[in-house]
Amino acid sequence: MAAFTIAAGTGNWFSALALGVTLLKCLLIPTYHSTDFEVHRNWLAITHSLPISQWYYEATSEWTLDYPPFFAWFEYILSHVAKYFDQEMLNVRNLNYSSSRTLLFQRFSVIFMDVLFVYAVHECCKCIDGKKVGKELTEKPKFILSVLLMWNFGLLIVDHIHFQYNGFLFGLMLLSIARLFQRQGLPILSRLVLNSGGQAILPPRLTKVLGLQKRHMEGAFFFAVLLHFKHIYLYVAPAYGVYLLRSYCFTANKPDGSVRWNSFSFVRVISLGLVVFLVSALSLGPFLALNQLPQVFSRLFPFKRGLCHAYWAPNFWALYNALDKVLSVIGLKLKFLDPNNIPKASMTSGLVQQFQHTVLPSVTPLTTLICTLIAILPSIFCLWFKPQGPRGFLRCLTLCALSSFMFGWHVHEKAILLAILPMSLLSVQKAGDASIFLILTTTGHYSLFPLLFTAPELPIKILLMLLFTIYSISSLKTLFRKEKPLFNWMETFYLLGLGPLEVCCEFVFPFTSWKVKYPFLPLLLTSVYCAVGITYAWFKLYVSVLIDPPVGKTKKQ
Amino acid sequence: MEKWYLMTIVVLIGLTVRWTVSLNSYSGAGKPPMFGDYEAQRHWQEITFNLPVKQWYFNSSDNNLQYWGLDYPPLTAYHSLLCAYVAKFINPDWIALHTSRGYESQAHKLFMRTTVLIADLLIYIPAVVLYCCCLKDISTKKKIANALCILLYPGLILIDYGHFQYNSVSLGFALWGVLGVSCDWDLLGSLAFCLAINYKQMELYHSLPFFCFLLGKCFKKGLKGKGFVLLVKLACTVVASFVLCWLPFFTEREQTLQVLRRLFPVDRGLFEDKVANIWCSFNVFLKIRDILPRHIQLIMSFCFTFLSLLPACIKLTLQPSSKGFRLTLVSCALSFFLFSFQVHEKSILLVSLPVCLVLSEIPFMSTWFLLVSTFSLLPLLLKDELLMPSVVTTMAFFIACVTSFSIFEKTSEEELQLKSFSISVRKYLPCFTFLSRMIQYLFLISVITMVLLTLMTVTLDPPQKLPDLFSVLVCFVSCLNFLFFLVYFNIIIMWDSKSGRNQKKIS
């Protein structure tokens, strides 16, 4: 009986949460899946039936392999399991093949890979200090964090309905973050020798002897591996680079928190470099040997696509496009513009990939790159000049992800998860971060709604969204109930506005005559409305990072 | 309630699970000529919408009773009519007379599933939430956990959202009835219960405990004073609600009789298909249906049912209490399920509902029972291709129960409510100390058998001579379990207030 009790995990809330969400994922198996399902099936087929030299040349299907080599190897390994389910799915010419066994295999592979994500969440929970432990289990930061991460609405619908493998990739990312927080050695020992700010009180040499080095190398390794799985994580690479250089390669700070230049450790730089180099060599080496690197890179970075996706991701460019549209309409009304000079495509925007601006100057990839860099720079400077330990790194990482999302070229709406998930870690620690997190998450998640446009999935997305939103807002409010309210009236009003917006877009609009005339209107409205919220959250987070005093100064006060 | 948000979350989880299950197949999908319960419900919409009330229950050229004729009470028919009006608004083809037979499409499936969800959301779920909020003597957290477990009960979800039926309506009304009667709103309670009976005649399984409990209340208040007034009021409420529901059928004698004939099809035999009751299980050894004439079968099943539920009912009438009422609901419904005439496998839901209500008091036994009840539906669920959602929801329910009640730590005699029973047995048998451990072992054996049988049914092909081998085995095993539960619940009912008295004496 005892064994049975342990096996069933009595009283273990973490395993109950993890099992619960896994079962929910299993229930989502029969839901709609997007073309990404076929994309991954095709990659299974490519890696299984073709030699490596053709992986990045194969173009029978329009969904060519455009992820880095580790992901291709991952598909290769999966394909060796897949052949026991259905051999037919591994045929490159078998386009749009989806038997029920293929469906089961693909869905289960995503669910199974999420084990890594669950483990990473478990590790992240260890990094959260349990000072604010309430009596109730549901009010503990660890509990709230694990729900926020594991039951994340975006991840559920993108991975388990829309179909992608983000779960284990985010698992890798969270794991590498957790390693930057964690220290080797006994946890009790580390609690003894560290102060509340997370900095060692003991002299550096003693901490080294005690084995209290943070596990930076491991973190760097996981991140390097992650980059070779999916290159979208390059967005947050600056944060990693600067943080590791500043906090790992320089071993000491001056008393005022600025860097002590003579503490630079060559050994650490070289070991870090070696890790990154070895991982990259393992990934890109074979293609370098085959002389295929340019081909691989041309697949990884296709700049032929437009500024915005068919559905505008809710970022700065969505606002820019909308402003252009408004100006052109005003211009036409006031006869400043000649109707004959206006490109036809702009009138049906949202349906064509290439969007031509009529009033405002058009945007080139280079412009977006410069904008992104400018947006990222201040946060990087903060990370260098005002080191605040792993928390500062996490905020910088979130800012990097958000800034790239705001200004990047051809950004997908799904990329918002890159900011939401690391931000969850911050949200349970500080009321200010919690408020930003809630605005960002709620609008970001809402902006994923157009991913699921089929009727049977409509209740699912609304229910899951409500589930996550109500939980995150209420639980964080309870957690920070002693501090000032999380939202001001304006933010409350904005967030409540999402409800009527959804009703208008999906319940009222399809029954009006505008449906034929302006089919893009719901998408445009959603995108612009969410863009406002996300821009606001980005701005607020930036301000809070810039004005936050460094750790050293707060201590003196 | 300060933790209202957790209750909202629980309801949302329940709704999400319900809707995701509904994406799966339904009974008789793509299986002409008869299809399944899904087509039956759609057909009733067609009949009620296109024919005048007087022809609903009669065989005619427009209403072939052999093809899913209406055999539920009037309230179901009205509900079908209401749905039909909505269907007509969306797509008249769905309910066109004759031509819509066997109509299947994605949009129609979506519509039908939505009607179930709305009915559930309006009737069953609020009742569950309110019931859990009204529970006494437990913390808010426990109330919420209780609501989660009840809402995740897989049997009801799978039958309503997978197989396709509207059990949540009748069970929801019955639950409103229980709520009303236990909170001393006797008139509202009996009204709700009358609606339940008028939605589905199987609710009669619950009628005796309701009757006995209310009668007991009247006795308690004194039949010469307040009790008599209450009794008259109750009788009026019941008669009035029945008359209202049956009004269109009371115009002619023949109408009423025809509806009753449709509701109680005595000529359909002792049992159909495979059902986990005594008669079907006994059938393995002796073909009762072929040996005994029909009317003897009827009398025999009536006697067995009556005898098995008599003690609990008498006890309830003499000592009416809210807890005793709920336990008697369980034992009566279980007696009906095991012994009565013409039982369907889905009727086990009528037992499961009251078991859900005692979940917080006897978590270990209730969870066990609810698992067995879901298992007993396995052959039906497999026929509908619902294996995956069945396994997943059952596991989810089990995990929810284990985490919210830590059921494995609640296996002492006291927590199984068997303390007073074992004390009285020990007077004659001093060595009777192994009860708690025995129940734990029985649980293990039962769970292992269920898992093994499920695996066998899914993976192995039955031998050609015995094509029904596995489904018969499933029924037989479930029936053994149910018999054990019948004995258990009767024991705790009979020994219930004795412990109360003992405690009073001690204090």
Side-chain angles (χ1 to χ4, degrees), chain A residues 462-479:
Chain A
I462 293 178
L463 287 171
L464 283 178
M465 174 80 182
L466 279 177
L467 189 69
F468 186 81
T469 311
I470 292 179
Y471 180 79
S472 55
I473 294 181
S474 319
S475 62
L476 289 176
K477 267 193 175 162
T478 328
L479 187 64

Side-chain angles (χ1 to χ4, degrees), chain A residues 44-323:
Chain A
L44 278 177
I46 289 176
T47 50
H48 188 79
S49 53
L50 298 176
I52 306 175
S53 57
Q54 286 179 43
W55 283 3
Y56 285 93
Y57 281 95
E58 163 60 38
T60 310
S61 161
E62 59 175 315
W63 312 115
T64 53
L65 183 56
D66 56 6
Y67 274 21
F70 275 178
F71 202 89
W73 285 112
F74 165 68
E75 294 277 5
Y76 176 77
I77 295 167
L78 274 188
S79 72
H80 281 279
V81 186
K83 66 185 173 193
Y84 296 108
F85 278 74
D86 188 350
Q87 189 78 40
E88 281 303 294
M89 76 170 115
L90 299 173
N91 186 344
V92 176
R93 262 157 291 157
N94 224 344
L95 295 184
N96 292 316
Y97 182 77
S98 78
S99 64
S100 61
R101 278 165 162 259
T102 312
L103 180 76
L104 269 187
F105 170 74
Q106 294 244 68
R107 288 285 199 202
F108 272 123
S109 67
V110 182
I111 294 172
F112 178 76
M113 287 312 291
D114 274 2
V115 171
L116 184 61
F117 181 69
V118 171
Y119 172 71
V121 173
H122 184 74
E123 291 298 299
C124 283
C125 285
K126 281 191 202 160
C127 310
I128 303 298
D129 49 342
K131 261 181 253 156
K132 267 188 192 163
V133 174
K135 281 173 199 165
E136 291 271 351
L137 166 71
T138 45
E139 287 173 21
K140 281 185 184 168
K142 282 184 188 186
F143 181 86
I144 296 174
L145 177 66
S146 39
V147 177
L148 290 184
L149 288 173
M150 279 197 287
W151 287 72
N152 184 283
F153 165 79
L155 213 50
L156 274 179
I157 70 158
V158 172
D159 272 18
H160 300 277
I161 300 181
H162 178 85
F163 197 84
Q164 274 193 352
Y165 286 93
N166 292 300
F168 85 94
L169 297 172
F170 277 113
L172 272 177
M173 179 162 124
L174 290 180
L175 200 57
S176 82
I177 293 174
R179 290 295 181 251
L180 297 185
F181 272 82
Q182 287 167 348
R183 288 150 209 282
Q184 285 164 343
L186 295 168
I188 303 165
L189 204 61
S190 67
R191 210 167 289 160
L192 283 177
V193 288
L194 294 172
N195 64 14
S196 54
Q199 291 193 325
I201 322 168
L202 298 176
R205 193 166 291 168
L206 192 53
T207 24
K208 210 174 187 177
V209 172
L210 287 172
L212 293 178
Q213 293 301 318
K214 289 183 191 171
R215 302 161 77 172
H216 285 104
M217 292 292 284
E218 255 177 275
F221 169 75
F222 284 127
F223 186 67
V225 171
L226 176 64
L227 274 184
H228 287 280
F229 265 108
K230 191 171 178 178
H231 49 303
I232 195 174
Y233 293 94
L234 272 176
Y235 283 166
V236 295
Y240 268 92
V242 174
Y243 176 70
L244 286 174
L245 192 66
R246 176 70 178 81
S247 301
Y248 182 63
C249 298
F250 288 97
T251 51
N253 288 338
K254 285 182 191 162
D256 65 342
S258 64
V259 65
R260 186 177 294 203
W261 292 99
N262 59 4
S263 68
F264 188 69
S265 158
F266 273 105
V267 182
R268 289 186 169 188
V269 173
I270 289 168
S271 50
L272 263 185
L274 204 65
V275 164
V276 175
F277 174 77
L278 282 179
V279 170
S280 307
L282 196 64
S283 156
L284 298 172
F287 299 96
L288 189 69
L290 290 164
N291 218 357
Q292 288 185 349
L293 265 195
Q295 170 68 15
V296 173
F297 278 108
S298 76
R299 282 280 175 86
L300 294 190
F301 302 100
F303 271 102
K304 278 166 250 159
R305 301 186 192 170
L307 171 66
C308 289
H309 201 230
Y311 156 63
W312 303 346
N315 58 9
F316 177 78
W317 303 121
L319 292 177
Y320 186 83
N321 288 351
L323 181 68

Side-chain angles (χ1 to χ4, degrees), chain B residues 271 274-275 277-289 466 468-469 471-473 475-477:
Chain B
F271 62 90
K274 300 283 171 288
V275 50
N277 73 355
I278 289 290
W279 309 123
C280 185
S281 306
F282 202 62
N283 197 46
V284 179
F285 310 109
L286 192 67
K287 302 275 175 275
I288 315 167
R289 275 190 298 190
L466 306 161
D468 287 336
L469 176 69
S471 48
V472 170
L473 271 180
C475 290
F476 191 73
V477 168

